[in-house]
Amino acid sequence: MTDRVWLVRHASTEWSGERWCGLTDLSLSAAGVAEARSLASRFVADLPAEVALVSSPARRARETAEPIARALGLRADIDRAIAVDIDDGLQEVDFGRAEGCTWADIERRLPYLAAELAAGASEVDWPGGETAGTVRERVGAVWQRLTGIDRPVVAVCHGGVIRAVLAGLGLGLSPGQRWSVAPASTLELRRTGGVWAVAPGDEPAQVRSR
């Protein structure tokens, strides 16, 4: 059972920062490929000697995990990438009718959803997609699997999953605020005395007021 987990958001796609992307299986953009390589080179050096690498099945997550796996293999002097385990529970939230939408699209087509998001709602029932309860249950189950692994874990996943993990651990925010998790960012969580917390000084996930 591990006491350290790094949550890694996948690098950029053509939709990052522009459109809601849940189950649409996009590859990394050219900028995202560069981000993933840069992330691997600086991130792996600070990891413990032995870690488990787990990824969402989404292409953008796997393409972010691959350079990390190669860097871990080189560090271990085994001349090959380490294995990347795939866990379907790390898949991004199903945004339903908001999938592929810009903010302007959501304001026009789904004004009630836009109002919830603008108010900083921490949990959302996505029209035609996953409910807050479904996301909570799915992410809670995958978190139990990750923390049951017998060594530190690096999990490459998505912004919605990372925010759900933080909410599930009680690392909530004030009303009107939400975690903003940038592409190719990392967040280390440590368990001390049975309580999970963001590692001291680790601030890649920022608090944003809306």
Side-chain angles (χ1 to χ4, degrees):
M1 182 175 294
T2 187
D3 291 322
R4 299 180 77 184
V5 177
W6 285 264
L7 300 175
V8 180
R9 187 186 174 194
H10 65 81
S12 295
T13 71
E14 294 295 341
W15 284 12
S16 294
E18 301 293 332
R19 297 178 182 274
W20 264 258
C21 184
L23 303 187
T24 303
D25 202 16
L26 299 179
S27 293
L28 298 182
S29 62
V33 170
E35 290 170 357
R37 290 173 179 166
S38 175
L39 169 66
S41 66
R42 69 178 187 274
F43 175 53
V44 166
D46 295 327
L47 291 176
E50 291 190 16
V51 297
L53 181 56
V54 187
S55 175
S56 156
R59 185 175 300 150
R60 57 194 184 275
R62 290 185 284 108
E63 290 177 354
T64 301
E66 286 164 3
I68 296 174
R70 289 193 296 270
L72 286 168
L74 288 172
R75 190 185 68 170
D77 199 26
I78 58 176
D79 197 32
R80 59 177 171 79
I82 71 163
V84 180
D85 295 323
I86 303 299
D87 192 314
D88 290 346
L90 290 171
Q91 179 64 275
E92 180 59 293
V93 174
D94 179 355
F95 296 125
R97 289 166 57 196
E99 183 74 12
C101 289
T102 64
W103 177 250
D105 292 335
I106 290 178
E107 285 186 307
R108 184 174 65 256
R109 301 174 190 171
L110 303 164
Y112 55 93
L113 175 62
E116 282 189 64
L117 296 172
S122 59
E123 294 188 317
V124 173
D125 291 334
W126 294 92
E130 283 187 286
T131 65
T134 300
V135 173
R136 193 185 314 118
E137 182 177 356
R138 172 169 64 86
V139 173
V142 76
W143 180 251
Q144 291 301 313
R145 291 195 293 274
L146 294 177
T147 57
I149 296 173
D150 62 358
R151 57 194 184 280
V153 175
V154 175
V156 183
C157 52
H158 308 267
V161 173
I162 293 172
R163 284 187 285 270
V165 167
L166 294 170
L169 294 176
L171 302 174
L173 299 170
S174 300
Q177 293 183 321
R178 67 194 298 268
W179 290 102
S180 178
V181 187
S185 65
T186 67
L187 185 69
E188 181 186 354
L189 297 172
R190 295 182 187 176
R191 177 165 48 189
T192 305
V195 178
W196 286 96
V198 176
D202 199 5
E203 300 177 346
Q206 302 294 328
V207 176
R208 181 173 66 196
S209 297
R210 298 200 63 159

